[in-house]
Amino acid sequence: MRQLLLLLILLHVSFTTLLFATENPAPAQEVSEVKKSVEIQKEFIQLSDVPEQAVKTLLELKKITLLLTEEDRAYEIHSALPAYSKSIDALLNDKVYQDLEGESIRTLQKMSADWNVYLKQLNEWEKRYKERIVVYDTNREKLENYSLLWSETHINSNKEQAPQAIQDHVTSVIIEIEKLRNHAKSFYDEILIGSNIITTKILLINEALLLIKETETMLSNRVFYQNEFSYLDALELESFSPIKYLLSAYTSAKEKVQEANIYFKSDASKLWYLLLSIVLNAAFIAYFNYLYRKKKLFIRKESLHKKTFFFIGRPFSTFFILIVLCNVVIFPEVPKSVTEFELFIILIPIFRILLTVIPHEVVRHFYVYFGLYFVSLIEKNAIGYELDSRTLSMLLSAGLIIYIYYLIRDKVFETLARPLFQKMIYRFLAFLILILFISIGADFYGATQLSTRITGGTFSIIHASLIFYTLTIILTGYIIIILRRRISTASNMVEKFSKRVERMTVILIKIGMFLWWFKIVTKVTGTHVYLVAFANDLLAYSWTIATTTVSVQSIFDFIIIIIGTWFVARLINTILQVEVFARFSLPRGFPTAITTVLNYLIVISGTIIALSSLGITPAQFTLVFGALGVGIGFGLRNIIANFVSGIIMVFERPVQIGDTIEINKTMGNVLGIGARSSTIKTFDGSEVIIPNADFIAKEITNWTLSDERRRKVLVFKVDFDSDIDEVMAIMKKIAIEHPNVLQDPEPLSAFLGFGDYYLEFKLYFWLTENLIGAQSDIAIGIYKELKNAGVKMPLPKQEFLTKKSEELE
């Protein structure tokens, strides 16, 4: 019996191989590869190695059996899938899909949420099935190879007339292999069938969701029509059921909790990112809160008393708000149930943060809004009982009107916004009151879609304003803290431009928060689609100039690229000057050459990219610049000469910024070297603009080209009766004692000789700064010292004789 079973197995393997070769004939060029494959497949185990290889094969079969064994989770899927599939079919066959337009938006949203629950579950099962299919495919291939190997070994053992024990050993291994193959095949088929069912249901659910979404969008856009009975007619047709209404909201809340649970289970891999963000946020906030409490947060102690940083004293509230923000980033497709819960619970930390910057008189307004928002959640989640829902909706609109009226009356925003924005906010609030009256009228008339849009939009505007105002406080506060910390002094640029960096950072954060707020408000109010469509149409508008097509989008791109080029050039120049060149000792003029060349490269590259965005091709570039070349050569030759001279000055470096030069009888310090001209600030305070070509073509005296030291000479004449050694000592002493005089080379006093009526001396000394003032100080000091020493100044002979004659008379 065992031999017969083995024979059937061998026939099965041979038939399978033959059938595969018949259905998939190999091309002529692959014959050699097939032969190689056949040779490999016909390998067998030597008779002496059969016992050892049999043990190894059986151990490997046990490993494969463990891999192919179904997990408890897989058994749960197999058992739950039929019932799950029937419930999905029942929902898909519901008559409600024949007339979705007759349902309310709230009902459609409930249907969409239910389908998303099913979809999340099916996607999770599909992922699990695909993983199992990969495992089965890998191990089935191993089993096929084992089956062929041991079949050939059996044939060889018969051929070699191996002992019966060896043949029985081979036979037992083959039987175990075939059992495992059949076992794997049965589970494999079951997985394929289940995967096919899941894939089909996912497609059907996606079609249903698409249909619901299209219907919801259509009904949302049809807001200006009566979609329900008027309120008076509804009073006659229905009756109030407040208890059942609240129970409906409670049931809906439980279903949303289940929906959120299924969502997070299906995206469990992302929970590690959320856990990491929790740890990082906790460490970040705890560190700064510790420094704040120890009063070590700032170098300047007065910063601790600014309200801008009081939020640091609310670490738990700050932590929760930042975690919610991280959750939005990590789970971008989070269900509405989770979003609603987050928006509700985040109000508590928001109030805690705002209490640090607002007066206590304003606090009651936040508590009132908290209550109104809680009631709105009940109204939003209750399904059915339209009379109760419409009544509560009108009461909410009335409550919002009263709430906004008190915001305006109590001038709440005087402490929260600047005067210009205060006027805009108060006018916007007055507009909200107007449209809320329209909401009440629309609900009374029966246009409930319009009423829901207005009331929900108002709550969204207020809620988003609170959230983004708080986020602005937190983000700007932390940015300023980081910039003012001691660690920021490691950067010369941050230290030098700290105020400007703070101001620009705060502005960018506020702009980003406003744009984010505006996007959310437009989405909630249903105007986002229209604004995007209008923007796309406007940007796509184009016209043709010659052979070039120019659009509004290309002009917009051109402006952005030009502004970006200017910003990048300024930023790189500042970084090089403040961060790089200030830290390294470079050759004279080298920093100026680097910054000038980089500026030219950035500007030229940015200009080419900007013109390319307008649709100008390289061929058109060549044509335009070739045509302009002649005009430039004749009409702009002086400008070109100055530009080229500026480039020569950058590389040759005869004149650098800060040098003291004399050109065209103008003497002063070089303030800047531009593309066309350079600026010199004279010693009398005026600024002279000189073309660059003059620096190349004319003679220039550069007093600081290779050395900033300059020698000064003072000439003194004294009476013949003066002591020469004493005069020379006094002159040298005064020069040495002056703080601006260089000691190397040492000041030198010299006696030049005899005049007609005087002795002549000269003093030589070197200076690097305060040239005029130091020379004057030294001259005055020498005069006073000579006078105190009794040294007389000489008198001309004619004047001396005149005085003598006057004395004799």
Side-chain angles (χ1 to χ4, degrees), residues 3 59 77 116 165 176 217 239 336 347 363 367 397 412 420 435 461 501 631 633 667 671 707 723 735:
Q3 298 292 336
L59 290 175
I77 297 174
N116 279 318
E176 291 299 324
T217 303
S239 59
K336 289 184 178 179
L347 285 176
V363 174
Y367 291 114
S397 297
V412 171
L420 175 62
I435 63 172
I461 290 171
V501 172
M667 185 174 181
L671 289 182
D707 194 347
D723 187 344

Side-chain angles (χ1 to χ4, degrees), residues 53-318:
Q53 293 299 323
V55 173
K56 290 183 178 179
T57 302
L58 291 174
L59 290 175
E60 188 65 26
L61 292 178
K62 287 183 179 180
K63 292 180 182 179
I64 295 174
T65 303
L66 291 175
L67 290 173
L68 296 181
T69 301
E70 289 293 324
E71 301 173 352
D72 294 337
R73 182 61 177 160
Y75 279 119
E76 290 177 7
I77 297 174
H78 292 332
S79 58
L81 184 58
Y84 215 74
S85 178
K86 288 182 180 179
S87 63
I88 291 173
D89 290 337
L91 288 174
L92 290 172
N93 294 326
D94 196 334
K95 293 182 179 179
V96 71
Y97 288 98
Q98 298 177 4
D99 185 25
L100 284 177
E101 296 184 17
E103 302 295 331
S104 65
I105 290 181
R106 195 168 301 171
T107 303
L108 294 177
Q109 291 175 346
K110 175 67 169 54
M111 293 169 63
S112 179
D114 293 340
W115 278 126
N116 279 318
V117 172
Y118 281 103
L119 189 61
K120 286 288 182 184
Q121 185 66 75
L122 290 176
N123 285 329
E124 182 185 357
W125 288 354
E126 183 184 36
K127 180 181 178 182
R128 181 61 189 158
Y129 271 1
K130 287 181 177 179
E131 292 174 355
R132 298 302 298 170
I133 287 173
V134 171
V135 174
Y136 287 143
D137 286 339
T138 304
N139 289 282
R140 282 178 62 210
E141 185 177 352
K142 291 181 180 180
L143 290 174
E144 292 292 338
N145 293 333
Y146 278 128
S147 178
L148 291 174
L149 176 64
W150 284 95
S151 297
E152 293 296 329
T153 302
H154 184 269
I155 294 172
N156 181 64
S157 66
N158 288 333
K159 182 179 177 182
E160 297 289 337
Q161 295 180 354
Q164 187 62 38
I166 296 295
Q167 293 187 19
D168 291 343
H169 215 153
V170 173
T171 303
S172 63
V173 173
I174 293 174
I175 291 172
E176 291 299 324
I177 291 172
E178 291 306 316
K179 283 182 180 180
L180 188 53
R181 286 180 66 190
N182 293 330
H183 176 73
K185 182 67 168 62
S186 63
F187 277 107
Y188 188 71
D189 292 341
E190 187 176 355
I191 289 292
L192 287 178
I193 294 171
S195 179
N196 181 62
I197 294 173
I198 290 174
T199 304
T200 304
K201 300 307 177 187
I202 288 175
L203 291 174
L204 292 173
I205 290 175
N206 283 326
E207 290 179 0
L209 284 172
L210 181 60
L211 181 61
I212 292 171
K213 186 64 177 177
E214 290 175 351
T215 307
E216 183 183 347
T217 303
M218 181 188 66
L219 293 178
S220 299
N221 294 331
R222 292 165 55 187
V223 294
F224 299 103
Y225 79 105
Q226 185 180 11
N227 58 307
E228 298 286 349
F229 293 110
S230 67
Y231 187 73
L232 296 177
D233 293 337
L235 285 174
E236 296 177 359
L237 295 173
E238 301 181 28
S239 59
F240 289 103
S241 304
I243 303 299
K244 293 181 179 179
Y245 182 73
L246 292 176
L247 287 175
S248 173
Y250 175 73
T251 303
S252 177
K254 288 177 61 178
E255 292 175 351
K256 289 189 174 183
V257 170
Q258 181 185 4
E259 177 188 356
N261 186 34
I262 292 174
Y263 174 81
F264 284 114
K265 282 184 177 180
S266 62
D267 282 351
S269 60
K270 293 183 179 179
L271 291 177
W272 289 106
Y273 297 106
L274 182 61
L275 180 62
L276 179 62
S277 67
I278 289 173
V279 173
L280 293 177
N281 276 294
F284 179 81
I285 293 171
Y287 172 71
F288 283 105
N289 182 257
Y290 169 78
L291 294 176
Y292 180 75
R293 292 184 180 278
K294 294 295 183 179
K295 297 183 179 180
K296 298 179 180 179
L297 191 58
F298 301 104
I299 298 175
R300 298 189 298 269
K301 298 299 181 183
E302 62 269 15
S303 297
L304 287 170
H305 305 291
K306 292 185 178 180
K307 284 189 174 183
T308 311
F309 310 113
F310 284 0
F311 74 92
I312 303 175
R314 301 282 191 269
F316 295 105
S317 299
T318 306

Side-chain angles (χ1 to χ4, degrees), residues 550-562:
V550 181
S551 64
V552 177
Q553 175 74 56
S554 62
I555 295 176
F556 183 76
D557 293 341
F558 176 83
I559 295 172
I560 292 296
I561 293 171
I562 292 297

